[in-house]
Amino acid sequence: NAIAQDADGFLWLGTTRGVVRFDGARFTPWDAIYSTRLPDAEVLALSGSRNRMLWVGFARIAGGVTVAALRNGEIVTVSEGVAPHESTTAVIEDRAGDVWAVSNGALHRLHRGRWDVMRSRPLGDAVVLGVREDARGTLWVGTRDGLFRRRDADRFELVGPGIVRDASESAGGTLWITDPAHGARRHGAPPRSTNTDGRGMRLLHDARENLWVATTGQGVWRVRDTATITTPLVERLT
């Protein structure tokens, strides 16, 4: 369900049976590395932090908080405030050290040891699908009502309508968003920005300005976007 890299270069995978570490040669389950047991729940989200921790989002745990920090084999959870108790499908730590989590369609924030829920307008009651921080430190929130950008500590602004699960901005400043029918599209462009069908789920620009699109049912795409062509070249990995 999820993948993240820690400060030591290990890859961590979130699976239906917990967390697995990949060291470049072998896959090792968490409980074969550490004695501390993880909650008996599916792992839906993973991300690294600045202080060498790994944030984990779990499926629903009976009565438990579904976001935890893993460090040196220990598990740390925070229950103060309005903590996530439903399945957590996305979790990140921003540059300021705040943690953002998507749980049960709501955006939660862990700030100074306390959880709260973002309900300020215009984000309001929009069903949240994803959250991401870009290289410039801008926080993007994908919802069923559109893509939102964080303006300041508690305020968001609507950037574009539609169902948006993820967004990624190129080094040149071109913003791409997921599209439920055509994988991905440039922000502001017509829905059919590509000639390929697929339900876009995750986006990522690499160092060479390729856009990678993870889809449901149509695999992984590489989108080559240039200013000289109207429709970008889409290559599917077979």
Side-chain angles (χ1 to χ4, degrees):
N1 296 318
I3 184 169
Q5 188 173 36
D6 66 19
D8 296 317
F10 291 112
L11 292 181
W12 294 88
L13 310 178
T15 77
T16 56
R17 299 182 64 182
V19 176
V20 176
R21 188 183 73 183
F22 179 61
D23 62 7
R26 63 188 64 82
F27 295 92
T28 310
W30 169 274
D31 55 13
I33 306 170
Y34 302 111
S35 59
T36 305
R37 289 184 58 84
L38 292 180
D40 186 17
E42 187 171 353
V43 174
L44 303 176
L46 286 174
S47 68
S49 75
R50 298 175 306 162
N51 56 358
R52 307 178 79 85
M53 289 194 303
L54 192 69
W55 289 100
V56 183
F58 294 98
R60 188 174 182 181
I61 305 167
V65 177
T66 54
V67 175
L70 308 181
R71 186 176 185 181
N72 297 328
E74 299 297 324
I75 306 172
V76 179
T77 58
V78 177
S79 58
E80 294 296 322
V82 187
H85 284 85
E86 300 296 326
S87 295
T88 293
T89 53
V91 58
I92 65 165
E93 180 181 312
D94 66 20
R95 292 185 179 184
D98 288 345
V99 177
W100 301 83
V102 178
S103 179
N104 197 32
L107 182 63
H108 295 251
R109 179 183 63 177
L110 177 60
H111 177 67
R112 295 181 179 177
R114 185 176 181 85
W115 288 102
D116 54 4
V117 180
M118 298 290 100
R119 290 300 186 192
S120 58
R121 294 183 180 275
L123 188 62
D125 295 324
V127 177
V128 178
L129 302 173
V131 59
R132 173 189 291 276
E133 185 181 45
D134 66 19
R136 297 179 177 89
T138 302
L139 194 76
W140 300 92
V141 181
T143 78
R144 291 192 177 277
D145 294 339
L147 178 67
F148 291 83
R149 175 171 51 202
R150 186 187 184 194
R151 294 186 59 187
D152 53 36
D154 298 306
R155 293 193 301 166
F156 296 81
E157 61 182 354
L158 179 64
V159 176
I163 300 175
V164 179
R165 295 183 176 274
D166 202 3
S168 183
E169 191 171 18
S170 70
T174 301
L175 179 65
W176 281 79
I177 60 178
T178 53
D179 187 275
H182 307 296
R185 61 185 171 93
R186 300 186 190 99
H187 171 58
R192 196 172 182 86
S193 286
T194 68
N195 290 325
T196 309
D197 293 334
R199 183 184 182 189
M201 299 295 290
R202 295 289 182 266
L203 303 177
L204 181 68
H205 279 91
D206 66 19
R208 296 183 178 181
E209 285 300 282
N210 294 306
L211 175 67
W212 295 87
V213 183
T215 75
T216 296
Q218 296 297 323
V220 178
W221 305 354
R222 178 170 63 180
V223 179
R224 297 176 182 268
D225 184 24
T226 70
T228 60
I229 57 175
T230 302
T231 303
L233 173 63
V234 177
E235 301 168 303
R236 290 195 208 181
L237 302 191
T238 63

